Amino acid sequence: AYERCVQTLDDELGTPPSSETRALARQIDSQPDTPHGGARAVPVSVLRPPRLIGRQQEWRALEDAWARRAAALVIGEAGMGKTRLVGDFAAARPGVQTVTARPGDARAPYAVLSRLLQGLLPLLDTPLRAGDAQELARLLPSLGSPPPGEPDAQAGQARLVAAAQALLARACERDAPHGVTGIVIDDLQFADVASVEAIQHLIGSGSSLCWLLAC
């Protein structure tokens, strides 16, 4: 690949590769062979290059949505670099919480929402209101015992989303130790339906949170 790069640059531009590219080629070439003729280990700098390349347009679009407090959805085929894009974008901003949906989540109602809320709990400076804590205990056992009986599906979801909204609002408070400014949800294609519906309600609730989702 490096030799093709050298030839193409010489043929089309009459220039050699940059010093960074030459250094990377030397780094790859210097990796020792594994025993028994196995493949050489790929350097970390190749697996995850130190800079995000070729995503300026997408980055600007995310910045625009973030500034307007508009939810943004990044869609692309597997391996296109969505996780790297949203991860680097989140890392460049303070107070962003990231949660990743996982294969198998679709079979567990509220799996992704539970993971999101569990990550927010340590950021609260005071306990939740008793009613909200009791409602969220259906998903987060650390909050205590849930209300007795099975809730009506529609009314139960509404109460659960309202309690989740209250938790988000508390996590965003200015006097919280680490106020949350935005939520990133990666690999949304693995998420369960109940979580997706709840997240849609949370996004549309009019809060000041920024939302970024990748699918």
Side-chain angles (χ1 to χ4, degrees), residues 130-139 144-151 156 159-160:
D132 292 331
Q134 192 176 38
E135 198 62 47
L136 291 176
R138 299 184 188 278
L139 305 181
S145 301
E150 291 296 324
R159 290 195 301 272
L160 189 63

Side-chain angles (χ1 to χ4, degrees), residues 114-207:
S114 300
R115 202 171 296 133
L116 169 62
L117 299 179
Q118 186 65 55
L120 294 174
L121 279 180
L123 306 182
L124 304 186
D125 54 349
T126 57
L128 284 168
R129 189 177 65 87
D132 292 331
Q134 192 176 38
E135 198 62 47
L136 291 176
R138 299 184 188 278
L139 305 181
L140 308 174
S142 62
L143 291 177
S145 301
E150 291 296 324
D152 171 78
Q154 187 170 0
Q157 184 188 45
R159 290 195 301 272
L160 189 63
V161 170
Q165 188 175 339
L167 193 160
L168 280 172
R170 290 286 308 284
C172 296
E173 291 175 353
R174 290 176 180 267
D175 57 350
H178 305 284
V180 176
T181 60
I183 303 292
V184 172
I185 301 179
D186 195 15
D187 283 337
L188 190 64
Q189 71 274 8
F190 294 129
D192 60 281
V193 173
S195 288
V196 172
E197 291 178 349
I199 289 166
Q200 287 177 312
H201 285 295
L202 293 172
I203 291 174
S205 65
S207 72

Side-chain angles (χ1 to χ4, degrees), residues 20-103:
E20 292 89 351
T21 303
R22 294 196 301 272
L24 181 60
R26 290 193 298 270
Q27 182 180 356
I28 295 171
D29 196 48
S30 67
Q31 296 297 307
D33 287 324
T34 56
H36 312 298
R40 290 182 294 184
V42 180
V44 174
S45 55
V46 176
L47 292 174
R48 183 178 176 84
R51 288 185 295 149
L52 186 68
I53 301 296
R55 289 288 183 261
Q56 292 87 349
Q57 182 177 347
E58 291 82 358
W59 191 279
R60 287 194 297 269
L62 293 180
E63 284 183 328
D64 177 65
W66 201 264
R68 293 185 292 107
R69 296 293 192 270
L73 179 62
V74 178
I75 302 176
E77 296 294 330
M80 290 289 288
K82 299 181 298 300
T83 295
R84 177 66 188 268
L85 174 62
V86 300
D88 281 15
F89 190 85
R93 282 150 184 80
V96 177
Q97 289 291 302
T98 300
V99 63
T100 301
R102 305 166 184 168

